[in-house]
């Protein structure tokens, strides 16, 4: 252990992120969460603040392609990261297949949880491996509705659109497995 | 949130050297950032250890075991082929915890050192012997449905605490006789599990035997013991909820139907993951039958001292122990 160093008095940091493909450098208070950086500093208000405690999933974004709760991520700790928010899912005017499926399957009501559901599903579809409900731990199970419900359990929906969320995600996951 | 300085450590020695008064290590931040926002944790310096080169899972030196780096993310641990194949109980315990998002962020070191979910601990407007030693424990007369039934210090006044340790992963590591590698100002050492987490005793503010500045670098697993194992978690909803009671169990049944080996740890019942040595001894050498298992559960839970609002957890634990051992004996 050492005595406090001069740097220990510095409470701001420069954070460089690639957000939806665009490089952004910002000077922020070290306390700034990735969620607040996105919403307050970059004006990307698609990611939502439901609880600010990791309990609802409304703030879900992809960090380096992996889904994460932006409310529990300190921006300074993710310096250099590639972040994808709901604003970055579509390809220009072409919706992401999940966005399209959410519309077709009526997978939302108020829409508040939807950006988090979409980012979470996008991350989940690339994860593979077993989940808590997988019988055989050694394989990559098929994404049955039961598997999808378990894997999406970090995203709450107060409107209870769960049934159609599972349908929409199922549609995209089975489409993805066809040649 | 109190303002803090931030330092990203490059290697463990760098992290330990930079640690000073008011400092805290930062893993994935999924517990610490929350507690900072609540005002429960008030570090003046965060030493980020999430990018230390401790992110590998591989064979342990000396043959047969596994060495898991402290910065390995929970999701990567559960998805690792060697963990899935050789330590299924651990993979299942990790997968049963939190959500996909949180497991992607959470590290092994942070998971072990996450703090209790006792609501009074998280509310700085309330007294709490763990957060503010000597201030009292409102949980004993208040909301303690999901708090400890065994090994607690209710009745100890200024050191009373009935908190539980919330980690699922730590319960499996406790049953597996894991060893926690630590480095600190006093050098390197290895702490066996059980043994990392403490019971509240006279110091409920101390969750573990670690000293300030101690850095967890790895968790070592001995070779998997013979037998079948599982992790089962009883909770209020099917997913994304902490355990009411959980069990990590391993059972080795001999050809003549008697129990040759048993390792059992319980979650959600105590201030530390609870290794059920009494039950393990009670089943040894006996026929692997439901009656032997429920007698062992009774022997273990004879030590329980439930509070008025959580006696149901004793019944839950009894049922769970019997059910998991029966399932493993089939
Ligand atoms: C909504 C929600 C639900 C959850 N549900 C569950 C559940 O069902 N089961 C479960 O087990 N967990 C659950 N968790 C808790 C989660 O597993 C922990 O928050 C996580 O494992 C902590 O890891 P971390 O790396 O994010 O730790 P951090 O938050 O970064 O750190 C936690 C503590 O560990 C210390 N620390 C971190 N790394 C080290 C190190 N290498 N050496 C020394 N000290 C270190 C930090 O200083 C801090 O005190 C839940 C969390 C949330 C938010
Ligand atoms: S049980 Fe422990 S953590 Fe909860 S209020 Fe009492 S002293 Fe605090
Ligand atoms: S706002 Fe992040 S999980 Fe609720
Ligand atoms: S659509 Fe309203 S919260 Fe999910």
């Amino acid at each position: 252990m050492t005595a406090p160093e001069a740097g220990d008095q510095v409470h701001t940091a420069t954070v460089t992120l690639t957000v939806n493909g665009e490089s952004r450098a910002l000077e922020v208070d070290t306390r700034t969460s990735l969620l607040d950086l996105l919403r307050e500093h970059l004006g990307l208000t698609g990611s939502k603040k439901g609880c600010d405690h990791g309990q609802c999933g409304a703030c879900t974004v992809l960090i380096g392609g992996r889904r994460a709760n932006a409310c529990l991520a300190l921006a300074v700790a993710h310096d250099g990261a590639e972040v994808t928010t709901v604003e970055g899912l579509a390809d220009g005017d072409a919706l992401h297949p999940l966005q399209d499926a959410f519309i077709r399957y009526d997978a939302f009501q108020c829409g508040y949880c939807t950006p988090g559901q979409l980012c979470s599903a996008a991350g989940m579809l690339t994860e593979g491996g077993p989940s808590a409900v997988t019988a055989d731990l050694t394989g990559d199970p098929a994404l049955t509705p039961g598997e999808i419900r378990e894997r999406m359990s970090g995203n709450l929906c107060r409107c209870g659109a769960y049934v159609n969320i599972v349908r929409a995600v199922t549609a995209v996951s089975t489409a993805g497995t066809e040649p | 949130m109190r303002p803090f300085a931030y330092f990203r450590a490059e290697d463990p020695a760098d992290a330990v050297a930079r640690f000073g008064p008011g400092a805290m290590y930062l893993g994935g931040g999924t517990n610490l950032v929350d507690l900072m926002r609540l005002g429960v944790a008030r570090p003046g310096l965060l030493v980020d250890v999430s990018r230390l080169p401790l992110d590998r899972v591989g064979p342990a030196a000396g043959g047969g075991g596994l060495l898991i780096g402290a910065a390995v993310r929970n999701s990567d641990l559960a998805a690792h082929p060697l963990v899935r194949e050789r330590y299924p109980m651990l993979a299942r315990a990790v997968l049963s915890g939190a959500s996909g998002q949180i497991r992607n962020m959470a590290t092994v070191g942070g998971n072990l050192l996450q703090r209790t979910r006792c609501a009074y601990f998280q509310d700085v407007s309330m007294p709490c012997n763990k957060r503010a030693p000597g201030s009292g424990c409102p949980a004993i007369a208040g909301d303690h449905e999901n708090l400890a039934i065994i090994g607690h210090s209710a009745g100890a006044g200024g050191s009373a605490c009935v908190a539980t340790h919330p980690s699922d992963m730590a319960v499996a590591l406790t049953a597996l006789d894991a060893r926690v590698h630590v480095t600190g100002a006093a050098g390197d050492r290895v702490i066996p599990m059980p043994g990392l987490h403490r019971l509240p005793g006279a110091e409920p503010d101390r969750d573990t035997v670690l000293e300030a500045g101690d850095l967890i670098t790895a968790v070592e697993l001995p070779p998997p013991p013979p037998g079948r194992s599982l992790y089962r978690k009883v909770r209020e909803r099917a997913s994304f909820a902490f355990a009411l009671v959980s069990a990590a169990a391993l059972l080795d049944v001999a050809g003549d139907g008697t129990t040759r080996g048993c390792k059992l740890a319980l979650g959600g019942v105590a201030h530390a993951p609870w290794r059920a040595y009494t039950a393990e001894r009670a089943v040894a050498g006996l026929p692997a039958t439901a009656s032997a298992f429920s007698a062992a559960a009774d022997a273990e839970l004879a030590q329980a001292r439930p509070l008025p609002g959580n006696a149901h957890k004793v019944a839950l634990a009894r049922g769970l122990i019997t059910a998991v051992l029966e399932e493993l004996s089939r």
Side-chain angles (χ1 to χ4, degrees), chain B residues 35-129:
Chain B
L35 292 176
M36 287 164 66
R37 197 164 280 148
L38 292 166
V40 174
R42 299 171 45 78
L45 169 67
L46 282 187
V47 178
D48 188 347
V49 297
S50 68
R51 297 199 208 178
L52 292 181
L54 302 172
D55 56 349
R56 302 286 292 272
V57 178
L66 201 67
L67 194 69
I68 302 160
V72 171
R73 306 289 166 164
N74 286 192
S75 48
D76 296 331
L77 176 63
H80 196 281
L82 286 175
V83 176
R84 285 152 69 173
E85 212 180 289
R86 301 178 62 209
Y87 303 94
M89 173 210 284
L90 176 59
R92 293 237 179 253
V94 173
L95 289 170
S96 78
S99 64
Q101 290 94 315
I102 292 169
R103 292 192 298 272
N104 276 342
M105 304 171 77
T107 62
V108 167
N111 188 318
L112 279 174
L113 298 187
Q114 61 175 295
R115 311 293 315 264
T116 184
R117 305 304 284 201
C118 172
Y120 305 103
F121 173 76
Q122 298 190 333
D123 180 351
V124 292
S125 71
M126 295 297 291
C128 167
N129 285 332

Side-chain angles (χ1 to χ4, degrees), chain B residues 116 118 120-121 127-131 136-140 147 160-163 204:
Chain B
T116 184
C118 172
Y120 305 103
F121 173 76
C128 167
N129 285 332
K130 182 179 281 300
R131 176 171 33 75
C137 173
I140 292 166
L147 299 182
C161 179
V162 294

Side-chain angles (χ1 to χ4, degrees), chain B residues 209-228:
Chain B
V209 300
L210 297 182
E211 304 293 339
D214 277 347
L215 176 75
I216 297 179
T217 54
V219 173
E220 183 184 343
L221 296 178
R228 294 172 57 211

Side-chain angles (χ1 to χ4, degrees), chain B:
Chain B
M1 200 188 287
R2 181 184 167 197
F4 60 87
Y6 172 88
F7 174 74
R8 185 178 303 126
E10 302 294 336
D11 58 56
D14 190 25
V16 171
R18 195 57 188 266
F19 198 96
M24 287 184 82
Y25 293 127
L26 174 71
T30 59
N31 188 221
L32 182 53
V33 171
D34 197 13
L35 292 176
M36 287 164 66
R37 197 164 280 148
L38 292 166
V40 174
R42 299 171 45 78
L45 169 67
L46 282 187
V47 178
D48 188 347
V49 297
S50 68
R51 297 199 208 178
L52 292 181
L54 302 172
D55 56 349
R56 302 286 292 272
V57 178
L66 201 67
L67 194 69
I68 302 160
V72 171
R73 306 289 166 164
N74 286 192
S75 48
D76 296 331
L77 176 63
H80 196 281
L82 286 175
V83 176
R84 285 152 69 173
E85 212 180 289
R86 301 178 62 209
Y87 303 94
M89 173 210 284
L90 176 59
R92 293 237 179 253
V94 173
L95 289 170
S96 78
S99 64
Q101 290 94 315
I102 292 169
R103 292 192 298 272
N104 276 342
M105 304 171 77
T107 62
V108 167
N111 188 318
L112 279 174
L113 298 187
Q114 61 175 295
R115 311 293 315 264
T116 184
R117 305 304 284 201
C118 172
Y120 305 103
F121 173 76
Q122 298 190 333
D123 180 351
V124 292
S125 71
M126 295 297 291
C128 167
N129 285 332
K130 182 179 281 300
R131 176 171 33 75
S135 62
C137 173
I140 292 166
D143 184 357
H144 56 246
E145 270 91 276
N146 197 21
L147 299 182
I149 54 171
I150 200 163
H152 56 70
S153 60
S159 62
C161 179
V162 294
T164 47
H165 194 269
S167 168
D168 290 295
M169 181 190 79
V171 180
L173 293 179
T174 297
L176 288 168
D177 296 306
R179 289 149 50 88
V180 180
H181 292 229
V182 174
T183 184
D188 299 351
R189 64 193 198 284
V190 173
I191 302 170
M193 286 184 70
L196 173 70
H197 300 93
R198 339 169 29 257
L199 295 180
E203 293 176 292
D205 52 317
R206 293 186 64 198
D207 293 357
T208 68
V209 300
L210 297 182
E211 304 293 339
D214 277 347
L215 176 75
I216 297 179
T217 54
V219 173
E220 183 184 343
L221 296 178
R228 294 172 57 211
S229 72
L230 60 70
Y231 184 78
R232 189 175 297 165
K233 178 172 176 180
V234 181
R235 43 183 160 176
E236 282 169 339
R237 56 185 184 196
S239 182
F240 199 24
F242 287 93
L244 299 172
V245 180
S246 69
L250 178 139
L251 191 73
D252 182 25
V253 181
D256 64 359
T258 59
T259 297
R260 187 159 46 196
C262 173
K263 290 176 188 288
L264 179 66
L266 303 176
V269 298
H271 194 260
W274 186 265
R275 182 71 181 262
Y277 286 122
T278 306
E280 291 179 9
R281 280 192 295 269
V283 297
L286 293 187
T289 60
S291 60
F293 298 148
S294 64
D298 285 337
E300 187 66 48
L301 295 166
Q303 311 164 65
R305 285 189 299 137
L307 299 162
N310 69 8
H312 62 283
K313 285 180 59 167
V314 180
L316 261 182
R318 178 181 295 115
L320 183 64
I321 294 172
T322 311
V324 295
L325 293 178
E326 251 197 288
E327 181 172 335
L328 290 172
S329 71
R330 274 189 220 119

Side-chain angles (χ1 to χ4, degrees), chain A residues 24-60:
Chain A
R24 316 291 295 248
L26 294 97
E27 173 94 1
V28 294
D29 188 302
T30 50
R31 291 174 290 186
T32 312
S33 69
L34 177 59
L35 180 60
D36 285 342
L37 181 146
L38 293 168
R39 292 180 53 87
E40 312 295 336
H41 297 252
L42 297 181
L44 292 169
T45 53
S47 309
K48 297 290 182 270
K49 188 183 283 188
C51 66
D52 224 16
H53 292 292
Q55 296 170 353
C56 75
C59 65
T60 304

